[in-house]
Amino acid sequence: MTAFVAVDQLEKTFPLAGGGEYIALKGIDLQIRKGEFVSLIGHSGCGKSTLLNMIAGLDLPTEGTVLLESEQVKRPGPDRMVVFQNYSLLPWLTVRQNIALAVDEVLSDLSPEERRDVVEKHIKLVGLGHAADKPPGQLSGGMKQRVAIARALAIRPKLLLLDEPFGALDALTRGNLQEQLMKICDENHVTAVMVTHDVDEALLLSDRVVMLTNGPESNIGQILEIDIPRPRQRMEVVNHPSYYSYRSEIIYFLNQQKRIKQLRARKQGAIARHGLEKVNLEIGFVPLTACAPLAIAKEKGFFVKHGLEEVSLVREASWRGIRDGIAGGYLDAAQMPSGLPLWMTLGGNDNKPMPVVTSLTVTRNGNAITLAKRFYDQGVHSLPALKRMLLETPDQRHTFGMVHPASMHNLLLRYWLAAGGINPDKDVNLTTIPPAQMVSNLQAGNIDGYCVGEPWNLRAAVEGIGFTIATDLEIWLGHPGKVLGVREDWANAYPNTHIALVKALLEACQFCADPNNAEEVRRILAQREYLSTDLSYIQLGDDNPNVCTLDHPMREFAHHQFHGVGVNRPSRTEQLWIMTQMARWGDTPFPRNWVEVLERVCRVGVFSTAARELGTFDVSYKRGPIKLFDGVQFDTDDPIGYLNSLKIKHDIYMAEVHLDAPRVAV
């Protein structure tokens, strides 16, 4: 089906005074269906209005084309009517005369009586019959904008273009006018494109929201389909079950663009010193107790000790932020869930393989499964009891939170459920939630439980919101929790820096593992720039008696392992298990070239060099076979046979994974 509006490889360049040029938009591709309402959203300077003006024909692209019903747009025309924020009304004409001026010019083939009927119809359409003979100076801002919309619609344009039409109005007027516009567009099947800064306005009015990245060279970063039925009511649309997930998606995108702009502003080229190719690093982390080695390496000077003199720790709210920072080259390295390097390498990120490597296991354990306190009160104290409750309440659909498809939280939660005969894709819902939002979502009743790292299990127990039904000590003792991840091309470009980074964090892991340092580590983690939480929620060593006041079967909180024999060495066996689990649940295919993938992802050599230079006796240690709580032992010699033996699983896909992904400048 031919698009009603087609924007193809559009680029807009502006000349600069010094002879250079500014590329405002680049590579814009957009298809708009007839009768569709599309919003353009992004930060100031991203080129929203520039794109709108080129669709209107008020400006021409430097490269690319804009087509309206297969005809190239080369100039303004009455088939595209623009409504601006500043109304653009002639002050010496009345409401009726402003509208009639446009109608008489464009619809001159109609008789005077017919044109008069068109004007009166549209005055009535926007509810301005009582003010038809007033000049703009006697109208409120909302009334002026209604005149502009009536004038635009009266000439029967094929496409209505709105450039922040309600930005200057008060909240009440804006809301009323949004509802009127929505009703008009629905009843008249108007095709519209609107520029807005208002997330809620975009969600209310749009069929799709097009999100633009920051300039220069702004492009379409994401397009969000708004699957909320019409007609929509402004006060009711917020009750749609998908509303807040849509809203969160747009806000995340906008916040990430803001973060990227900040990182771009302070990011320098590689500064080489002391034999290191790069000493200025941006390292991402998520506020969890597991980020302790990064915080300690910064606060205790281990980065500087190993020559990394200009390290900035970048706090991200979610693992998605870490993923985007690494993928976009804005972060040099990051704390990651242990499966994320493999997930990105296998194409988990929009089916685009991007080789990411890990050379250090930063923490082991530290995760737990928490359920809402009401489950405990109902006698659900174990996995069999949870299965029994689900069978007894088939009409209820329970939702559990996890932090990322590639995280051990997701994989352990799924494994735990499946081992108990619960299909995580059919018997319950799993949803992705940032770690710091787990407790609030549990308290609000949005989820029934979650699997996450500390301190968020401990906090739910202390506050009486939830209880720990299983820790990872019970599910898989010693599993890899968080790892250091860098892009493969970064590791190849900065090999000495990579080793220095591993050395600094390995020494920080040793510091965190020393019980004599526990209180200092806890105080540092509680600071605003790290976890920003109460000190009592952060536990590294012995049980907290405040948590053990619940009757049996209350579990101890999940302990972290920061260092010890074999703790920090990356394991290809563990990565292979993770690979099978991601294939088990359909997140990534199982690669036919899995041996090559593991060798590329798991950089044991880098770790061995770093450990040897530190004098750590961890180099040659190999961990034993993987055996989880259900007694099933993972067969590393036959991963396909292992996958086939699993009773509960998604359809398994196999594919050759090509790892020569395009390089992105870092």
Side-chain angles (χ1 to χ4, degrees):
M1 181 178 174
T2 304
F4 185 67
V5 179
V7 179
D8 182 39
Q9 284 297 300
L10 186 141
E11 179 178 321
K12 183 61 179 178
T13 302
F14 295 99
L16 298 176
E21 61 181 23
Y22 179 82
I23 303 175
L25 295 165
K26 185 167 184 171
I28 302 291
D29 284 312
L30 180 62
Q31 312 288 314
I32 300 173
R33 301 181 290 270
K34 188 173 179 62
E36 187 177 24
F37 196 113
V38 172
S39 287
L40 308 177
I41 198 166
H43 290 294
S44 296
C46 72
K48 303 183 297 295
S49 294
T50 300
L51 176 57
L52 191 83
N53 287 340
M54 286 187 284
I55 295 174
L58 297 172
D59 199 356
L60 295 177
T62 308
E63 299 286 344
T65 58
V66 178
L67 301 177
L68 176 62
E69 291 189 316
S70 302
E71 294 290 329
Q72 187 171 353
V73 173
K74 296 182 178 180
R75 62 186 64 83
D79 54 355
R80 285 150 283 127
M81 195 64 184
V82 185
V83 177
F84 297 100
Q85 183 175 337
N86 62 359
Y87 321 125
S88 301
L89 302 177
L90 297 178
W92 57 87
L93 299 181
T94 65
V95 168
R96 181 178 284 107
Q97 290 167 337
N98 265 284
I99 299 173
L101 183 66
V103 170
D104 290 342
E105 178 66 26
V106 176
L107 304 181
S108 56
D109 56 318
L110 298 181
S111 67
E113 292 78 12
E114 290 174 320
R115 294 199 299 271
R116 193 177 307 113
D117 288 343
V118 169
V119 172
E120 296 304 320
K121 174 186 174 183
H122 286 82
I123 291 175
K124 183 179 180 181
L125 190 68
V126 296
L128 286 176
H130 65 287
D133 295 317
K134 292 183 178 180
Q138 297 180 19
L139 305 178
S140 68
M143 294 169 72
K144 292 176 185 176
Q145 197 60 286
R146 279 189 273 169
V147 177
I149 292 172
R151 181 181 58 188
L153 293 172
I155 64 170
R156 302 171 186 172
K158 295 178 179 178
L159 182 63
L160 179 64
L161 301 162
L162 305 123
D163 193 354
E164 295 194 68
F166 314 124
L169 305 178
D170 64 87
L172 183 60
T173 304
R174 182 167 62 246
N176 291 334
L177 202 48
Q178 287 167 349
E179 289 199 338
Q180 283 187 308
L181 175 63
M182 186 166 47
K183 183 178 179 181
I184 290 168
C185 289
D186 288 347
E187 290 178 353
N188 295 275
H189 307 290
V190 174
T191 306
V193 180
M194 179 180 71
V195 167
T196 182
H197 279 100
D198 189 322
V199 173
D200 294 296
E201 178 175 86
L203 286 173
L204 174 65
L205 298 174
S206 307
D207 297 301
R208 286 189 296 160
V209 178
V210 177
M211 294 172 259
L212 296 177
T213 64
N214 296 329
E217 299 189 14
S218 174
N219 55 57
I220 295 175
Q222 187 176 345
I223 299 178
L224 185 64
E225 298 269 355
I226 310 302
D227 189 18
I228 299 177
R230 295 184 183 276
R232 299 174 187 169
Q233 299 295 322
R234 185 166 55 93
M235 300 305 293
E236 296 177 6
V237 73
V238 295
N239 296 321
H240 188 274
S242 298
Y243 182 84
Y244 284 103
S245 62
Y246 290 146
R247 194 175 192 276
S248 296
E249 188 76 11
I250 299 173
I251 290 174
Y252 169 81
F253 179 87
L254 295 174
N255 286 341
Q256 196 65 13
Q257 290 301 307
K258 183 178 180 180
R259 174 65 61 85
I260 289 169
K261 186 175 182 179
Q262 292 170 342
L263 291 175
R264 275 180 175 173
R266 74 184 192 206
K267 194 170 181 65
Q268 311 172 58
I271 300 174
R273 292 189 194 126
H274 319 301
L276 303 183
E277 305 89 355
K278 195 175 194 293
V279 301
N280 54 317
L281 305 181
E282 303 275 351
I283 303 177
F285 75 96
V286 168
L288 292 161
T289 308
C291 77
L294 280 79
I296 292 301
K298 176 73 172 177
E299 301 295 333
K300 301 299 291 185
F302 293 126
F303 288 132
V304 174
K305 175 182 176 180
H306 293 285
L308 304 172
E309 298 173 349
E310 300 180 30
V311 171
S312 297
L313 296 183
V314 181
R315 174 174 161 159
E316 295 284 357
S318 67
W319 297 117
R320 182 178 175 185
I322 295 292
R323 176 202 75 184
D324 291 347
I326 291 291
Y330 307 111
L331 296 175
D332 294 283
Q335 164 207 24
M336 292 183 175
S338 53
L340 189 56
L342 192 59
W343 183 82
M344 294 183 72
T345 300
L346 294 176
N349 188 17
D350 296 330
N351 202 30
K352 298 174 183 176
M354 176 173 287
V356 174
V357 307
T358 179
S359 50
L360 178 70
T361 301
V362 181
T363 61
R364 292 183 180 274
N365 300 328
N367 302 321
I369 298 173
T370 288
L371 298 184
K373 183 64 164 52
R374 67 179 182 278
F375 285 82
Y376 183 87
D377 298 336
Q378 294 168 10
V380 178
H381 301 162
S382 64
L383 179 56
L386 178 62
K387 171 68 180 298
R388 186 167 56 251
M389 189 209 70
L390 293 176
L391 289 174
E392 292 171 353
T393 56
D395 55 326
Q396 297 181 27
R397 189 76 168 175
H398 293 87
T399 300
F400 296 90
M402 49 83 181
V403 301
H404 192 276
S407 69
M408 288 302 294
H409 318 86
N410 178 48
L411 301 183
L412 289 178
L413 176 60
R414 285 176 173 272
Y415 192 99
W416 183 75
L417 290 169
I422 301 169
N423 189 319
D425 289 322
K426 295 181 179 179
D427 300 329
V428 296
N429 293 325
L430 297 187
T431 185
T432 302
I433 298 175
Q437 296 178 21
M438 288 293 187
V439 175
S440 60
N441 274 275
L442 187 67
Q443 186 172 27
N446 298 328
I447 55 176
D448 300 286
Y450 54 71
C451 185
V452 74
E454 296 296 1
W456 309 116
N457 301 289
L458 181 61
R459 181 168 182 173
V462 170
E463 296 183 0
I465 298 167
F467 74 103
T468 301
I469 192 169
T471 72
D472 51 12
L473 304 184
E474 300 161 88
I475 302 171
W476 176 7
L477 178 62
H479 76 83
K482 304 298 181 295
V483 300
L484 171 68
V486 302
R487 289 165 52 113
E488 184 185 65
D489 56 2
W490 188 97
N492 295 339
Y494 310 118
N496 293 327
T497 297
H498 192 193
I499 292 170
L501 178 58
V502 173
K503 288 165 67 176
L505 289 174
L506 185 53
E507 197 161 354
C509 288
Q510 293 173 329
F511 186 95
C512 292
D514 187 341
N516 296 319
N517 300 326
E519 288 309 304
E520 183 178 6
V521 174
R522 290 176 65 226
R523 286 196 300 271
I524 289 173
L525 285 176
Q527 293 174 12
R528 183 174 183 179
E529 57 266 45
Y530 299 116
L531 269 64
S532 187
T533 193
D534 190 276
L535 192 64
S536 64
Y537 297 142
I538 304 172
Q539 298 297 327
L540 303 174
D542 295 334
D543 299 312
N544 177 359
N546 293 329
V547 187
C548 298
T549 55
L550 289 176
D551 295 333
H552 181 79
M554 180 62 201
R555 307 297 201 269
E556 63 183 0
F557 65 89
H559 293 266
H560 289 86
Q561 285 182 296
F562 292 109
H563 187 65
V565 177
V567 168
N568 301 114
R569 188 179 192 273
S571 166
R572 287 175 181 153
T573 298
E574 292 167 348
Q575 289 292 321
L576 179 58
W577 183 88
I578 291 170
M579 185 185 288
T580 64
Q581 297 304 304
M582 291 194 296
R584 176 184 187 180
W585 305 117
D587 290 319
T588 58
F590 188 85
R592 295 191 181 96
N593 53 331
W594 58 270
V595 174
E596 176 197 0
V597 171
L598 289 175
E599 289 177 349
R600 293 275 291 267
V601 169
C602 200
R603 295 293 182 93
V604 180
V606 173
F607 171 81
S608 298
T609 300
R612 186 170 57 250
E613 292 181 5
L614 282 178
T616 300
F617 302 104
D618 196 20
V619 178
S620 60
Y621 181 82
K622 293 184 178 179
R623 300 184 68 84
I626 295 174
K627 189 174 182 179
L628 278 75
F629 77 107
D630 58 354
V632 176
Q633 185 166 312
F634 175 56
D635 186 356
T636 58
D637 294 327
D638 186 15
I640 303 300
Y642 168 78
L643 276 170
N644 289 332
S645 72
L646 299 170
K647 293 181 180 179
I648 298 178
K649 58 181 179 289
H650 192 277
D651 293 334
I652 306 297
Y653 303 102
M654 296 188 66
E656 190 83 12
V657 177
H658 301 286
L659 299 179
D660 295 325
R663 290 172 60 92
V664 174
V666 295

